[in-house]
Amino acid sequence: MLAVKSMDVRENFKALCDKVLNGETLIISRPKNENVVMLSESEYNEIMKAKRNADYLAMIDKSMAEAEAGGFVTKTIAELEEYE
C-alpha cells in the first residue's frame, strides 16, 4: 500500500497508475483527512462482487428467519392461477 500527497499524484500520475495496475493500492492524502483510495478496476469489481454477494446472503438469511418464524403464506396452484 502506497500513500502520497495529492500534489505528488499530479506529477507522477502515469507511474502511480502503473503501480496500481500491478497490484498496489494507493492512498491519496488530502486536507482535512478527506483521503481517497485508488485501486485497479479489477480489484474494484471484486470488492463490489463481494458486497453484492454479502447483501444477497443477508437477504436469504432474513427470508429464512421469517419463514422459520411462520411469516409466510401458503397458496395452492389454483389460488395462484386466480391471480392471472
Side-chain angles (χ1 to χ4, degrees):
M1 183 177 315
L2 299 172
V4 298
K5 295 179 183 175
S6 57
M7 292 186 330
D8 295 334
V9 173
R10 290 183 196 119
E11 296 169 3
N12 302 302
F13 187 72
K14 183 187 179 318
L16 291 170
C17 284
D18 290 341
K19 288 183 180 186
V20 167
L21 290 173
N22 286 324
E24 286 285 350
T25 300
L26 181 67
I27 297 178
I28 303 166
S29 60
R30 300 183 67 219
K32 299 179 186 175
N33 211 23
E34 295 176 337
N35 300 334
V36 175
V37 176
M38 184 173 162
L39 46 94
S40 69
E41 181 181 12
S42 62
E43 191 171 346
Y44 170 80
N45 289 338
E46 288 296 319
I47 290 169
M48 295 309 294
K49 180 180 177 181
K51 182 187 178 308
R52 285 190 305 273
N53 287 344
D55 292 345
Y56 180 72
L57 291 174
M59 181 189 67
I60 289 174
D61 287 343
K62 181 181 174 190
S63 296
M64 291 296 294
E66 288 175 359
E68 290 170 357
F72 56 91
V73 177
T74 305
K75 299 279 184 183
T76 66
I77 296 294
E79 291 171 321
L80 292 174
E81 288 173 347
E82 290 176 9
Y83 289 114
E84 290 184 34

